[in-house]
Amino acid sequence: MTQQYGILAFPAKHSLSPVVFDAAFKAIDTDSQFGFFEIPENELGDFMDRMKAGKVSGLSVSLPYKEMILNYMDQVSEDAKKIGAVNTVVNRDGVFYGYNTDFVGSSQALKEAVGDLKNKQVVILGAGGAARAVIYGLLKEGANVLGILNRTLDHAEKLAKEFSEMFGVEIKAFSSENLANTLSFQKELIQAETILIQTTSLWTLQPDITAAESEKFCPAEYVKYFSTVMEIVYKPLFTPLLKTARALGKKIITGDKMFLYQASEQFKLFTGKEAPMEVMRKTLNENLSQ
Ligand code: ATR
């Protein structure tokens, strides 16, 4: 039987999930399909009601619904509960199961580049829903999250407190409005091998950002303290921050890596089968814009 899946987001049209999942379904010889569910917020309830009674077997959930969707779940995995966000919904005979595969994706992407994460030092830029999954994944792997830097200090403090308590560690919070102010913290704590992970939605919200604005957001003077810089968005693939890091000779990790690994975990949850990684990787690469 043809199973229907889709990306639930608003807007959704930029997502590469449909093309990557369709190629993966074809590779394992099912005629399942993956579409776009671009649903405005005031229609979310109706959409979920229709899904309960209908034929959609699963969802990839993206902005702005990863937290809101929790209200519609019948069962939520322990990881998704702790993160406070769901990016994967599986519909088993009208019962909605919520999972989070983002934390697996981000940790896997980082491990691939720097090896075992235990005791690795990491600084996080951003304190939104995406940051929550990344931080959770890092702490689960035994990484040392030194600090969370965010435009709104309150948000960083809230996240730092919550995860410090959850994992019994100390995480500091800083305003990212003037990163130079945190340099003394960086100099003290950052040794040769510290990783910076950029999780804000800045590049998505401001695709036409000027060089001066992006330099203000994360100056080269700051980036130079890190050995590795990772992004979790794949549009654009080489963000202004990654360009700065690359010019400074740093190791960079583009956002397509996290996308691929979170999608392969979703594939397992949707189908119960291992994901055809090479097909997914190749399709993703063919569709990424530089
Ligand atoms: P997501 O699910 O993508 O994380 P979110 O939960 O809305 O989305 O969080 C967005 C993150 O990007 C936040 O850390 C936000 O900073 P605030 O907490 O100050 O709102 C950050 N962000 C969004 N636009 C930004 C901008 N123009 N400059 C800096 N940070 C920005």
Side-chain angles (χ1 to χ4, degrees):
M1 194 183 85
T2 303
Q3 311 259 31
Q4 178 69 47
Y5 298 88
I7 169 87
L8 170 67
F10 194 86
K13 288 287 183 300
H14 65 280
S15 171
L16 292 180
S17 294
V19 66
V20 170
F21 274 99
D22 276 344
F25 288 145
K26 207 165 151 211
I28 64 156
D29 232 6
T30 72
D31 55 4
S32 297
Q33 288 170 352
F34 199 103
F36 291 94
F37 298 120
E38 190 169 77
I39 308 294
E41 212 170 307
N42 62 352
E43 291 174 20
L44 182 65
D46 284 349
F47 173 79
M48 295 307 287
D49 286 348
R50 283 202 308 277
M51 178 166 161
K52 196 142 242 198
K55 296 198 192 75
V56 176
S57 304
L59 299 172
S60 295
V61 183
S62 194
L63 274 175
Y65 295 130
K66 287 183 184 182
E67 287 158 61
M68 246 180 274
I69 204 77
L70 273 164
N71 300 324
Y72 299 92
M73 296 300 102
D74 299 302
Q75 299 280 344
V76 178
S77 74
E78 276 309 306
D79 293 320
K81 262 189 222 158
K82 287 182 177 152
I83 294 166
V86 157
N87 79 326
T88 310
V89 177
V90 180
N91 180 5
R92 298 191 180 107
D93 300 323
V95 181
F96 288 162
Y97 291 79
Y99 304 90
N100 192 306
T101 68
D102 282 334
F103 80 95
V104 184
S106 58
S107 291
Q108 183 62 28
L110 189 54
K111 266 194 255 180
E112 187 180 65
V114 304
D116 189 357
L117 302 185
K118 194 157 176 52
N119 297 328
K120 286 273 182 337
Q121 301 203 114
V122 189
V123 169
I124 305 289
L125 199 44
R132 300 182 68 87
V134 172
I135 294 167
Y136 179 78
L138 290 166
L139 294 173
K140 246 193 136 171
E141 296 280 338
N144 182 3
V145 178
L146 300 179
I148 302 172
L149 317 171
N150 194 49
R151 178 178 61 178
T152 311
L153 178 59
D154 278 6
H155 296 167
E157 283 173 340
K158 184 172 172 286
L159 224 64
K161 184 169 182 290
E162 190 179 326
F163 283 102
S164 293
E165 285 172 5
M166 195 187 293
F167 285 88
V169 294
E170 192 202 352
I171 305 174
K172 291 189 158 77
F174 295 94
S175 162
S176 62
E177 280 302 270
N178 185 356
L179 285 176
N181 285 344
T182 70
L183 282 180
S184 60
F185 152 75
Q186 304 301 343
K187 281 181 191 148
E188 265 171 50
L189 293 174
I190 292 181
Q191 296 145 16
E193 289 292 308
T194 300
I195 299 154
L196 177 66
I197 306 183
Q198 199 302 111
T199 72
T200 77
S201 41
L202 177 61
W203 317 128
T204 312
L205 297 176
Q206 287 185 46
D208 300 322
I209 190 165
T210 64
E213 283 167 334
S214 59
E215 168 63 17
K216 183 169 174 288
F217 170 66
C218 200
E221 196 43 39
Y222 185 73
V223 179
K224 76 177 188 196
Y225 287 97
F226 297 90
S227 59
T228 303
V229 179
M230 171 167 153
E231 278 283 0
I232 66 162
V233 294
Y234 58 84
K235 266 190 182 173
L237 190 59
F238 294 100
T239 64
L241 172 61
L242 288 184
K243 286 182 182 165
T244 302
R246 191 166 54 180
L248 289 166
K250 308 298 180 184
K251 187 180 273 185
I252 63 168
I253 306 167
T254 47
D256 54 318
K257 302 294 188 302
M258 171 168 165
F259 173 80
L260 179 67
Y261 295 124
Q262 65 76 29
S264 71
E265 283 297 306
Q266 278 186 335
F267 187 90
K268 277 190 233 170
L269 290 167
F270 288 156
T271 65
K273 299 194 167 105
E274 285 300 316
M277 286 305 286
E278 284 324 305
V279 170
M280 291 174 82
R281 195 188 307 272
K282 181 165 174 285
T283 310
L284 178 60
N285 286 340
E286 284 167 359
N287 287 277
L288 282 169
S289 47
Q290 304 297 307

